[in-house]
Amino acid sequence: MSESSAEAVVAATANVAGAAGAANWRRAGIAGAAIGVLAAGAAAGVAVERLTVGRGMRKKARLALDATGPYGSLRGTPGRAVADDGTELYYEIDEVEVAPTTAEEGASGSRRRRLFGRKAPAPVTVVFSHGYCLGQDSWHFQRAALRGLVRAVYWDQRSHGRSGRGRSQADGVPVGIDQLGRDLKAVIDAAAPEGPLVLAGHSMGGMTMMALADQYPALIRDRVAAVALIGTSSGKLGEVNFGLPTAGVNAVRRVLPGVLKALGSQAELVEKGRRATADLFAGLIKRYSFGSRDVDPAVARFAERLIEATPIDVVAEFYPAFTEHDKSGALPGFRDVPVLILAGDKDLVTPSSHSEAIADVLPDAELVIVPDAGHLVMLEHPETVTDRLADLLVRSGTVPAANVGGHGSTAQQPGR
């Protein structure tokens, strides 16, 4: 895409935003519409769809998918941790299901075995950290598959999901990956203060884990039994081209700082324009989330809902942290435990080459590049991700065997 065509996309998207009717929106809309540069590849598909499907029909289809899709419906025991700046971090715990013995069933019907005279050892806890503009529900399929088999903690990063808005950021302090690492430590202290840990992270969640390792090496050494790094990077994200030609990428990088500043300061107006250009953003999300053409429409809509739920000022607030992210020096802290590194071969956000670079530092890790998969590989190919996670849990001794059956498949829709 040439620089002139990139500018044309900006102008075209601004016109769409202007059509929303709010005069005030036009001022923020022109800057906010620069996001359309990244949408150039998606816009063609949206244009074709508009020729055959009316806007009202598309809206009805989205509402129908929202009503029938079970994704993101799984809930656990809620809890809250407090970060070092006072931000409340929301998490949920799925406990291990323990089947009673025959004698216990006869005595009480549901009483679990008790250990008298000594404390039962703390179980292994798998802590799942989600990515940028997502939430804990992005692990829906893996959660459905592993539920009851392992003790698991799912949490929402600051300013995402059900967690509180970052207090430091409300005071003007930029958010950084190191802060996210400290947030993860606060969640672990609250939800899993004892016992072995398995850390699983997608995208920003993997970076959060690296920041944890960088700041708390003793915790990694003493308690972490295994690590899963999914669609993530240890640095050099400023070099990612998002699947665009050089001229297009340069245009984006030139305008993005000013665009993000404008977006963050005009959040309410930008959200109106975001809704007005929902079709364009749906195409953008699909392009940068998935690698295959035949993604389940309900899963694609679920991804839209997750991303749409992230306020635009939060999107703007977090973005600069990624260009500064460099945690390659923290990776050796994971060398002594089983590690899974997994990425989609068509990931345009954190390309698989970044996972290969991590594997170069961790040569004993299992590296899995999933064919025909994009950035949200755990939603697009849940069976593959769940299978490799289950194998990691077995290899690390977390579970004696992982019988995940058909769970974690888009063909099944667990609502438990």
Side-chain angles (χ1 to χ4, degrees):
M1 181 174 68
S2 68
E3 185 173 337
S4 61
S5 63
E7 293 170 349
V9 174
V10 173
T13 312
N15 289 335
V16 174
N24 286 337
W25 159 245
R26 292 175 187 270
R27 295 198 299 272
I30 293 175
I35 297 278
V37 174
L38 291 178
V46 171
V48 171
E49 182 185 4
R50 283 176 174 165
L51 291 175
T52 56
V53 183
R55 175 177 290 182
M57 185 66 73
R58 292 194 303 274
K59 183 176 181 180
K60 288 180 180 178
R62 286 196 294 269
L63 291 174
L65 290 172
D66 290 345
T68 60
Y71 308 127
S73 60
L74 302 177
R75 301 269 64 89
T77 303
R80 292 191 182 273
V82 179
D84 56 5
D85 67 347
T87 301
E88 286 196 349
L89 305 169
Y90 178 84
Y91 63 83
E92 292 181 359
I93 301 175
D94 287 354
E95 297 288 358
V96 179
E97 292 181 357
V98 180
T101 64
T102 303
E104 288 171 333
E105 287 177 344
S108 65
S110 63
R111 188 174 59 199
R112 296 183 180 184
R113 190 180 318 174
R114 295 183 181 134
L115 297 175
F116 294 98
R118 63 186 177 92
K119 184 179 179 180
V124 178
T125 301
V126 186
V127 182
F128 287 87
S129 301
H130 68 79
Y132 178 47
C133 296
L134 298 171
Q136 63 173 271
D137 290 341
S138 61
W139 297 105
H140 175 87
F141 293 110
Q142 292 69 46
R143 188 171 189 172
L146 299 174
R147 204 165 201 195
L149 296 177
V150 296
R151 185 177 192 269
V153 172
Y154 303 85
W155 69 292
D156 292 324
Q157 303 236 34
R158 64 172 50 217
S159 302
H160 289 69
R162 296 174 178 84
S163 282
R165 189 76 167 82
R167 288 197 177 182
S168 293
Q169 287 65 63
D171 294 334
V173 178
V175 67
I177 301 300
D178 283 341
Q179 176 65 70
L180 304 185
R182 295 194 296 274
D183 290 352
L184 176 54
K185 176 62 162 54
V187 170
I188 290 172
D189 288 346
E194 297 179 324
L197 301 168
V198 173
L199 304 177
H202 168 250
S203 191
M204 182 176 75
M207 302 174 205
T208 299
M209 290 160 45
M210 296 175 203
L212 178 78
D214 192 34
Q215 297 172 93
Y216 304 97
L219 173 68
I220 305 301
R221 182 183 64 247
D222 298 340
R223 295 187 58 194
V224 173
V227 170
L229 298 166
I230 300 173
T232 192
S233 171
S234 60
K236 298 184 178 180
L237 287 169
E239 301 175 6
V240 175
N241 65 12
F242 301 104
L244 297 174
T246 302
V249 175
N250 289 340
V252 172
R253 287 180 178 148
R254 220 174 21 250
V255 302
L256 202 52
V259 168
L260 291 174
K261 185 176 181 180
L263 292 175
S265 65
Q266 300 286 343
E268 184 177 351
L269 297 177
V270 173
E271 290 294 352
K272 291 180 181 178
R274 199 182 189 187
R275 292 191 292 271
T277 57
D279 291 336
L280 180 62
F281 278 98
L284 172 64
I285 290 170
K286 188 171 183 179
R287 171 169 169 76
Y288 285 96
S289 297
F290 306 110
S292 54
R293 294 180 178 273
D294 58 346
V295 179
D296 181 346
V299 171
R301 177 57 189 156
F302 177 47
E304 286 178 41
R305 284 166 44 209
L306 287 171
I307 295 171
E308 288 171 354
T310 307
I312 202 70
D313 53 337
V314 174
V315 176
E317 186 175 273
F318 272 68
Y319 184 82
F322 302 117
T323 58
E324 300 170 3
H325 167 63
D326 181 1
K327 284 291 181 282
S328 55
L331 293 176
F334 297 137
R335 279 180 175 163
D336 295 332
V337 298
V339 176
L340 166 67
I341 305 168
L342 185 146
D345 68 340
K346 296 181 179 178
D347 190 335
L348 298 176
V349 180
T350 51
S352 58
S353 59
H354 286 237
S355 288
E356 292 169 351
I358 295 173
D360 288 342
V361 180
L362 302 173
D364 294 331
E366 178 187 17
L367 174 64
V368 179
I369 305 299
V370 183
D372 208 26
H375 190 56
L376 299 189
V377 60
M378 68 285 190
L379 294 177
E380 186 174 14
H381 294 283
E383 300 95 333
T384 300
V385 175
T386 301
D387 176 74
R388 301 326 305 150
L389 278 175
D391 181 73
L392 178 70
L393 295 178
V394 172
R395 287 192 289 121
S396 65
T398 301
V399 292
N403 180 20
V404 297
H407 293 295
S409 168
T410 55
Q412 296 197 15
Q413 301 184 354
R416 176 183 165 196

